Amino acid sequence: MTAQIIDGKAFAAKVRGQVAEHVTRLKTEHGITPGLAVVLVGEDPASQVYVRSKGKMTVEVGMNSYEHKLDANVSEVDLLALIDRLNSDPEVHGILVQLPLPGHLDEDLVINSIDPAKDVDGFHISNVGLLGTGQKSMVPCTPLGCLMMLRDHHGSLSGMDAVVIGRSNIVGKPMAQLLLNDSCTVTIAHSRTKDLPDVVRRADIVVAAVGRPEMVPGDWIKAGATVIDVGINRVDAPEKGEGKTRLVGDCHYDSCAEVAGAITPVPGGVGPMTIACLLANTVTACCRANDVAEPEGLTA
Ligand code: NAP
């Protein structure tokens, strides 16, 4: 079997198009422009790139983008004061603090100081609890993107066996929760899991969020399973020239694609969906804040 490729880039463009339509509706029918504030502390190059592209795409869908760049040495008090201002600013519907934060800042404290209704990353403890109890919440962007692609591909996920490899708070755990809420039978695997290949072989859906290049080979995959590869790993690519690198996922693409029914590529799979879902969450938060019917299909 050769797997169908789940084109995350095209899917993300479609989601951004839907977001843009809702933004237009909010502007013309309600006189509201959704706004997303992104807070960047320090000068980590990767974080700077993410924040730039988030800002660019926010503007492209017609929303207001507010960027707050703070010195790497900013005090916790000053950072919390900024979040407090953004919490009470009616023009700001979503707040994202780019992680990781420098070591002197308490990440949990900072995230939990964001108004849960504006927590478009879905990391606030209230949103984690709401998701865990199947209530309306802000859903973390990367797992939300994976869920959207799975629902689009399969329709109903009910009764499917899903294995999520990785138990991080930002990907693995919320992904498992979303799959459980969609009535999958869910196994969460991690670095202490025994017989990982056998566990993965049982799965109709495999979500790999590990951070280890090409760790999952094709012979771990059940014939016809759907493989969602969250991993983004940079590896040496001497074939492209000296010092060159390329991106690979946590799954060995070629061997998995021979067995799977469907697979997301890296790059061009889960990655583009993450920012699209951040924009979707911002429009959802804006609708909820203004008692406007929220768009269908843009959250879990
Ligand atoms: P993380 O916090 O480092 O968590 C990695 C998880 O993988 C941990 O739960 C760890 O288990 C597990 N793990 C490590 N080695 C393992 C092994 N040999 N067998 C089984 N499980 C193992 O990583 P993360 O933040 O979730 O990110 C995971 C990957 O997704 C990374 O490549 C990251 O770059 C990528 N990512 C992509 C996006 C996107 O937009 N596409 C967004 C976020 C993350 P323990 O808990 O036992 O240590």
Side-chain angles (χ1 to χ4, degrees):
M1 174 180 289
T2 305
Q4 180 183 333
I5 296 170
I6 300 178
D7 184 346
K9 205 171 159 194
F11 200 103
K14 194 172 109 188
V15 171
R16 290 197 307 275
Q18 288 170 293
V19 170
E21 277 173 29
H22 288 289
V23 171
T24 304
R25 181 173 63 92
L26 280 161
K27 284 182 180 173
T28 53
E29 293 177 16
H30 302 278
I32 305 164
T33 304
L36 172 63
V38 177
V39 179
L40 174 64
V41 182
E43 297 190 346
D44 175 62
S47 294
Q48 284 179 327
V49 172
Y50 290 139
V51 167
R52 240 195 328 270
S53 63
K54 283 168 186 169
K56 184 168 162 269
M57 290 194 187
T58 303
V59 172
E60 275 172 11
V61 294
M63 303 200 288
N64 288 328
S65 167
Y66 309 101
E67 279 182 29
H68 295 268
K69 294 187 178 161
L70 304 180
D71 191 83
N73 297 319
V74 68
S75 71
E76 203 162 82
V77 170
D78 286 348
L79 176 56
L80 294 177
L82 170 62
I83 293 174
D84 209 31
R85 283 202 302 281
L86 297 173
N87 281 342
S88 23
D89 185 342
E91 305 282 303
V92 172
H93 305 95
I95 302 170
L96 179 148
V97 177
Q98 184 67 43
L99 302 178
L101 291 172
H104 68 286
L105 299 168
D106 178 344
E107 246 172 45
D108 288 339
L109 178 72
V110 170
I111 296 304
N112 290 325
S113 72
I114 298 172
D115 176 350
K118 297 188 178 188
D119 168 38
V120 281
D121 250 344
F123 297 158
H124 190 289
I125 191 161
S126 296
N127 282 314
V128 176
L130 289 167
L131 179 63
T133 48
Q135 299 180 68
K136 197 154 98 171
S137 65
M138 296 307 302
V139 179
C141 304
T142 300
L144 177 58
C146 297
L147 182 77
M148 282 183 185
M149 291 192 287
L150 283 166
R151 281 180 176 170
D152 182 68
H153 184 73
H154 287 286
S156 169
L157 307 181
S158 180
M160 297 180 86
D161 280 319
V163 171
V164 179
I165 318 176
R167 55 173 162 178
S168 71
N169 290 338
I170 62 167
V171 189
K173 283 182 202 159
M175 184 75 247
Q177 196 64 63
L178 287 167
L179 291 166
L180 185 61
N181 291 353
D182 266 27
S183 298
C184 290
T185 303
V186 183
T187 303
I188 307 178
H190 47 77
S191 66
R192 309 292 173 89
T193 297
K194 281 190 278 177
D195 303 324
L196 184 60
D198 285 346
V199 171
V200 176
R201 265 181 215 119
R202 292 202 298 265
D204 304 309
I205 294 170
V206 179
V207 181
V210 185
R212 288 180 180 258
E214 302 179 319
M215 187 189 88
V216 179
D219 68 0
W220 290 15
I221 303 297
K222 178 161 94 176
T226 299
V227 176
I228 305 291
D229 193 347
V230 181
I232 302 178
N233 309 288
R234 194 162 279 288
V235 295
D236 292 337
E239 73 281 2
K240 287 167 76 179
E242 205 182 306
K244 296 284 185 196
T245 59
R246 66 192 172 95
L247 291 180
V248 297
D250 290 338
C251 300
H252 183 268
Y253 184 82
D254 287 345
S255 62
C256 288
E258 270 177 33
V259 196
I263 188 167
T264 58
V266 177
V270 176
M273 285 299 285
T274 297
I275 296 188
C277 287
L278 172 68
L279 304 175
N281 276 348
T282 305
V283 104
T284 299
C286 178
C287 290
R288 289 180 187 170
N290 290 283
D291 262 339
V292 173
E294 61 186 79
E296 274 181 32
L298 291 186
T299 191

